[in-house]
Amino acid sequence: MNTKKDIVKVAKPKLMRFMEEINSEAIDIEDEYEMNNISFSDCEIRTKTADKLKVDGVIFSKMDFKDIFLKSLELTDVRFENCDLSNADFSGAVIHRAEFINCKLMGLNLNEASLNHLTINQCNCKFILMNYVKMKNIIISDCIFESSYIQESKLDKVEFRNCNFKQSQLSGTSLSGVDLSDSEFEGAGFRAEDLKGAIVSATQAVDFSKIFGLKVKG
């Protein structure tokens, strides 16, 4: 159980109390399509490619987004619950006030995305691509990020809580001010300057020093 205090303040999605509910239906998405104030549950998305989709005030529950390509995607006030977004392509997306809860994000492409006020909780994010991403006001907790790529990204007010980043690549991403102390980074790739100013545990300090060829005397 996570006991870390909320150092980073993340705004939750602003969702209407009463929303249109769509359950167990097939959905077609067209270019420049807009979704507003809808709760989708267990629906099939037949479209695999769409451009300039805008989603505002929407809940997706038990939805399958595998392999979908959504170009120029805008998500505002959106919650994903128990959804599968494996190998989806959201590159270049603008995501503001969103939550991913208990989702499969394996291989999700978020390269060059802009993420603000985002919560990712209890998600499988293996092989996720988050290169050249702008991240601000983000809390990522109890997630698997093994073999992920978070390179050349900008982090501002970001927290990692009890996450697994084994064998991940984070080179070119400054972790200054980021608390890494209760997450795992075995085999992860960094540059020395990436870790400058990061908050680490005593054990991690020894492990990271070994990465850069330092010998610590006991």
Side-chain angles (χ1 to χ4, degrees), residues 22 25-35 38 40 43-51 53 60 63 68 70:
I22 299 179
E25 293 186 13
I27 303 168
D28 291 308
I29 301 174
E30 300 176 356
D31 290 346
E32 301 186 21
Y33 191 80
E34 294 189 14
M35 295 179 178
I38 304 173
F40 293 97
C43 295
E44 176 192 357
I45 299 179
R46 291 184 295 206
T47 310
K48 286 300 180 182
T49 304
D51 189 10
L53 173 66
F60 295 107
M63 299 278 288
I68 194 170
L70 299 177

Side-chain angles (χ1 to χ4, degrees), residues 56-205:
D56 190 345
V58 172
I59 297 174
F60 295 107
S61 178
K62 300 178 183 178
M63 299 278 288
D64 186 349
F65 293 89
K66 289 197 303 290
D67 302 311
I68 194 170
F69 177 28
L70 299 177
K71 186 179 178 181
S72 301
L73 173 66
E74 293 185 24
L75 297 176
T76 305
D77 296 318
V78 176
R79 179 185 298 149
F80 293 86
E81 300 175 342
N82 303 302
C83 293
D84 190 346
L85 295 90
S86 299
N87 299 315
D89 191 337
F90 290 1
S91 55
V94 177
I95 302 178
H96 182 60
R97 288 195 304 269
E99 296 176 328
F100 293 85
I101 301 171
N102 196 31
C103 292
K104 290 182 180 179
L105 309 181
M106 296 178 65
L108 172 65
N109 186 347
L110 285 171
N111 287 341
E112 300 183 324
S114 177
L115 313 177
N116 191 13
H117 289 286
L118 179 67
T119 298
I120 305 177
N121 184 33
Q122 295 185 323
C123 293
N124 186 341
C125 306
K126 283 185 176 182
F127 314 113
I128 196 169
L129 302 175
M130 300 178 74
N131 302 310
Y132 302 97
V133 174
K134 295 179 181 178
M135 289 186 264
K136 186 174 182 179
N137 303 308
I138 312 288
I139 295 178
I140 301 174
S141 56
D142 300 303
C143 292
I144 300 172
F145 271 81
E146 274 190 65
S147 302
S148 60
Y149 289 81
I150 309 175
Q151 300 182 110
E152 305 293 341
S153 292
K154 294 182 179 180
L155 278 56
D156 183 4
K157 298 179 182 177
V158 174
E159 283 188 32
F160 298 137
R161 303 176 177 178
N162 192 33
C163 293
N164 178 351
F165 288 90
K166 290 181 179 179
Q167 305 299 324
S168 293
Q169 296 298 320
L170 295 98
S171 62
T173 296
S174 173
L175 298 168
S176 179
V178 180
D179 191 341
L180 312 178
S181 61
D182 59 4
S183 293
E184 298 180 65
F185 291 89
E186 181 182 344
F190 304 94
R191 298 187 308 200
E193 55 267 36
D194 300 329
L195 290 170
K196 185 177 181 180
I199 301 167
V200 301
S201 68
T203 300
Q204 286 176 327

Side-chain angles (χ1 to χ4, degrees), residues 195-214:
L195 290 170
K196 185 177 181 180
I199 301 167
V200 301
S201 68
T203 300
Q204 286 176 327
V206 174
D207 291 340
F208 290 149
S209 68
K210 292 177 181 177
I211 293 174
F212 303 114
L214 300 179

